[in-house]
Amino acid sequence: MAVQNSALNAYKQNSVTTASPGELTLMLYNGCLKFLTKAKKAIDEQHIQEKNTNLQKAQAIIQELMSTLNMDYDISKQMLPLYEYMNRRLMEANVKNDTVIIDEVIGLTTEFRDTWKQVIQITRQQQYSNTQQV
C-alpha cells in the first residue's frame, strides 16, 4: 500500500509540474469542486472542523485564481468581481453552515471549469491546425 501511495504522489506531482498554465487552471477548478463537495458532506455529517478546513481550501483556490488574473484583458476585469463574490459567499456558508450557498458556488465553479475546458480544447485544435499548415 505504501508503494501505491508513493507512486500516486509521484504521478500527481509530475502532472502538476508538467501541466500547461491552462491545465493548471483546470486543476484548480477541479480541486475547488472537490473541496466544496467535501465541505457539503461535512455539514451534512455535522463535522464542523472538516467543513471549515474544506471551505478554507476552496477559498484559497479562488484567491489563487484571483491573483493569477491578467488585468490587461477585459475578461479578467469581469472575472475578478465574480471570484470576489464566490469568496464572500463561501465565508457566509462557513458561518451559517449553509449547503445551499455551497451549491451556488459549485454551480459557478462548474460553469467556469467547463468553459475553461472548452477554451483549452479550442486552443489545442488551433495549435494543431497551425502545425499541420507549416
Side-chain angles (χ1 to χ4, degrees):
M1 189 68 161
V3 172
Q4 285 178 330
N5 283 339
S6 177
L8 179 61
N9 289 336
Y11 171 77
K12 285 180 181 177
Q13 181 65 31
N14 191 42
S15 356
V16 170
T17 56
T18 60
S20 70
E23 291 167 330
L24 287 173
T25 300
L26 192 59
M27 287 179 191
L28 287 172
Y29 284 131
N30 285 330
C32 188
L33 289 168
K34 177 181 82 171
F35 294 129
L36 292 171
T37 302
K38 285 182 174 186
K40 260 186 75 171
K41 183 177 180 221
I43 289 173
D44 291 340
E45 296 172 356
Q46 298 181 3
H47 295 144
I48 301 307
Q49 184 57 44
E50 186 179 337
K51 174 247 353 180
N52 181 56
T53 299
N54 284 296
L55 285 177
Q56 286 180 348
K57 287 179 180 182
Q59 284 179 270
I61 289 172
I62 291 169
Q63 290 164 2
E64 178 65 22
L65 289 165
M66 289 167 58
S67 72
T68 60
L69 288 173
N70 181 342
M71 298 312 281
D72 293 337
Y73 297 100
D74 285 338
I75 189 71
S76 294
K77 293 174 185 167
Q78 294 168 15
M79 290 297 295
L80 183 61
L82 294 170
Y83 287 148
E84 289 171 339
Y85 172 78
M86 292 165 64
N87 201 34
R88 278 194 313 275
R89 292 295 280 164
L90 290 180
M91 285 186 244
E92 188 178 344
N94 203 350
V95 170
K96 295 181 177 180
N97 293 322
D98 192 331
T99 59
V100 173
I101 295 172
I102 296 173
D103 282 335
E104 176 189 1
V105 177
I106 285 173
L108 290 167
T109 306
T110 301
E111 200 173 313
F112 296 155
R113 191 250 345 247
D114 293 348
T115 301
W116 194 252
K117 211 185 285 188
Q118 288 177 336
V119 168
I120 291 172
Q121 289 171 344
I122 291 168
T123 303
R124 283 184 182 153
Q125 288 171 351
Q126 289 173 345
Q127 289 173 342
Y128 179 76
S129 67
N130 287 342
T131 58
Q132 294 301 308
Q133 294 174 0
V134 174

